[in-house]
Amino acid sequence: MEYFLQNFINALQWGSFYALIALGYSMVYSILMLFNFAHGDIFMSGAYIGFCIASLFIFLFGGVGAPGWLVMILTIIVSMFLTSFIGVLIEKIGYRPLRNAPRASAAITGLMIGIILETSNIAIFGTKRIAFPPLVETVTYNIAGIFITNKKIIIVAISLFLMAGLHFFIEKTKWGMAMRAMSYDFFIVPLMGVSLNVIAPLTFAIGSALAAAAGILYGLAYPVLDPYMGILLGWKAFVAAILGGRGSILGAALAGFLLGFIEIFTAMIFPSTLRDLIAYSIILIILTIRPHGFFGKAHSSSLRL
Amino acid sequence: MKKLSLILTAIFFTLFALSSSGWCWGKKKIIKIGINAPITGDIPKVGENTKNTAKMWLEDIEKAGGIEIAGKKYPVELVIEDNEAQAESAVKVNTKMITEDEVITVIGPQSSKQAIPAGGVADSYATPMISPWSTNPDTTKDRPYVFRGCFLDPFQGPMLANFVKEEFGFTKAAVLYDVASDYPKGLAEYFKQAWEKNNGEGSVVSYESFTTKDADFSSQLTKIINSGAEVLFVPQYYNEVALIVKQARELGWKKPILGSDSWGSSETITLCGSDCYGAFFSTHYASAGAEGITKEFIDRYKKKYSYVPDDVCALTWDSLKLAQKAIEALVEFSGDIKKDRENVKKNLAEIANFEGVTGNMSFTPDGDPVKCAIIVKISDAGEFRFYKSVCP
């Protein structure tokens, strides 16, 4: 039982990253009907921006003795803000000229932007691995044989808070309503005075900000940054976005956690060498039974990619 | 057309002049030693260390007025070439040094990725080559002209298993390794075999793996902790070491952690911090707490380049000294490069009880040294401190 609960907590943390990144894929898809394959690298850029901001804050406030959690929250907010500009820039330079091009061209653009982000990162920071500063002192709680660190609690709490915030934004605000309308009809809504050139950058900004938050939380949990860290995680989060149903926000979040659970629990039950083989076979079976994912709408345009 | 033929003629004559001048140099009887180092590329630090060490060695030789062969002193020239940390370039560099520069012996390349193909070139041209740092068995296997300065993985794995048995008397071990990378996978297997030979079938209670680029090891580590293992063996590179050790500590692992020579980089401590303090790993030499000629070497290097030399420096130094010893043992320096190379190779294979800064060594017929490994304990100050020397 302890063994199970320990893995449950491990999975909750690991799933948070998939969920936060999958949200970005799903949001962009719901508006523009394309998967932004540079998203994993936006996550990576967010982590590096977070590293710079955190180092700056530690340098500025280190002497004053500001508490770690305050520095962490400030780092997350500032990095989310800065990374959202990367998202907007990518939309403007990479995707807007291709908005009416075949979707495959747009997808390839995403891959190229990803490579540009990785290599420019290498140009700035070099290939050396970077240690993410430990913003919060790690405290390990032993509750009846289950080990929980304060970082795990922070990561899951912040992820859930951000997801709830996104849900509120989309369901309760005017901008959110515009986004929902846009995802409902890509051609008619702009005729009603809601400009796609506002909504699309906004979507990219929000998705990138979430990826940046994921990047910093990732840096807290796994404090070794490398320029290619976003590729594998990005692909797996993409799987989560598909699993949740293309364009479904709630689905992406839930599927992100589900993916985390499947990975952790297959490694718990089977030999870890077979982990990804078994985990992704399970997902393949789920998709065979439900080709549109859990919450996906079966409309014809979803086949455009 | 006339212009072109003129240029071609000019080039031809220049080349002829250059090659004949090279021939004249050969007449002057200079001993040339090739250094095949990764000066640019992924591991520039390794290349820099190789170059610095070679220059320090040359300084000694020049001070002595050259290498003495049969009572006569000959000047030495180093041919330092960059292999860009790539296998193809290392092959090119070796070919160039052997066929054009006519080096008597090649030192390098450092990592197995370049040393394995470059060793093939050296062997086919019958030129002795010493790779200071490559631990993969394939570098020297079935290649009489290729030698190395360090121990091999089939020695390192069992040595670590025996060390734990003697030091702690543990009977249950866990291993966590990258199944998609040759070095960790090989070492994990050698360790497991030896451990089970010592403690019986099934005594490696948890043998878990992941694939390159994974960052979350929580489920594997939870399994390991649950298995009742007494020691955790992690034969990984420094970036994964930091992640694995940190996560293990967070999941409540307080028992010893054991590593391999890939931990030896100073990056290990930069990335891992205090979580790695108290861990053991095997390596070629320990800079903290060194004595005798090792200390002399470290002090001198530190004074000259103002940083502490790592295992690459120490192994390169020993390889150069081995080459020097083999050359000094020549009966005569004939100037016939093929004959001299053959004799140097013969002398290298016969070296016994060589006293190096990384310990004493003798060569096996395969060109691999029989030498001691050093177990290092990471101190509470983050230093790699000598703990024990384990000999074959």
Side-chain angles (χ1 to χ4, degrees), chain A residues 20-282:
Chain A
L20 278 178
I21 300 169
L23 283 174
Y25 276 109
S26 239
M27 282 177 62
V28 169
Y29 183 83
S30 66
I31 305 293
L32 291 176
M33 298 286 173
L34 73 90
F35 283 109
N36 170 21
F37 284 120
H39 198 61
D41 295 300
I42 296 177
F43 156 80
M44 179 274 295
S45 309
Y48 273 84
I49 289 173
F51 163 76
C52 296
I53 300 294
S55 307
L56 182 72
F57 280 166
I58 289 172
F59 176 72
L60 288 178
F61 305 146
V64 192
W69 60 267
L70 187 67
V71 175
M72 183 190 72
I73 302 240
L74 280 176
T75 305
I76 292 178
I77 292 170
V78 175
S79 311
M80 283 174 80
F81 184 71
L82 290 176
T83 313
S84 63
F85 282 103
I86 293 186
V88 173
L89 208 65
I90 288 173
E91 196 276 332
K92 206 155 185 177
I93 297 171
Y95 290 113
R96 196 173 292 179
L98 291 163
R99 199 172 279 161
N100 295 315
R103 294 294 88 174
S105 309
I108 288 169
T109 306
L111 293 176
M112 287 187 291
I113 292 170
I115 294 170
I116 291 169
L117 285 176
E118 284 154 21
T119 41
S120 47
N121 187 304
I122 290 175
I124 300 169
F125 292 96
T127 49
K128 209 175 141 215
R129 304 292 193 275
I130 289 177
F132 197 86
L135 296 171
V136 190
E137 187 82 16
T138 312
V139 185
T140 310
Y141 308 104
N142 181 353
I143 304 166
I146 301 160
F147 288 87
I148 305 178
T149 57
N150 54 346
K151 280 182 185 166
K152 281 200 168 108
I153 298 171
I154 290 170
I155 287 163
V156 176
I158 291 182
S159 309
L160 291 176
F161 173 77
L162 288 172
M163 286 175 216
L166 180 68
H167 184 75
F168 175 82
F169 177 81
I170 288 187
E171 295 296 327
K172 303 287 180 207
T173 65
K174 226 177 194 170
W175 288 108
M177 194 159 83
M179 285 169 76
R180 277 184 292 144
M182 195 68 83
S183 76
Y184 190 76
D185 200 313
F186 181 78
F187 296 105
I188 301 296
V189 174
L191 298 178
M192 298 181 170
V194 182
S195 171
L196 187 57
N197 286 349
V198 174
I199 297 299
L202 180 69
T203 314
F204 269 88
I206 294 173
S208 305
L210 289 176
I216 294 160
L217 296 176
Y218 186 92
L220 282 182
Y222 313 108
V224 178
L225 305 185
D226 87 271
Y228 299 108
M229 64 195 262
I231 299 175
L232 191 64
L233 208 63
W235 280 112
K236 288 183 171 178
F238 173 60
V239 171
I242 296 280
L243 192 64
R246 280 176 262 203
S248 165
I249 304 291
L250 181 67
L254 285 178
F257 280 111
L258 181 71
L259 196 63
F261 276 84
I262 290 177
E263 273 196 18
I264 298 277
F265 281 95
T266 41
M268 178 184 123
I269 298 162
F270 301 102
S272 44
T273 312
L274 305 175
R275 185 191 73 187
D276 283 1
L277 177 71
I278 296 173
Y280 289 90
S281 303
I282 293 173

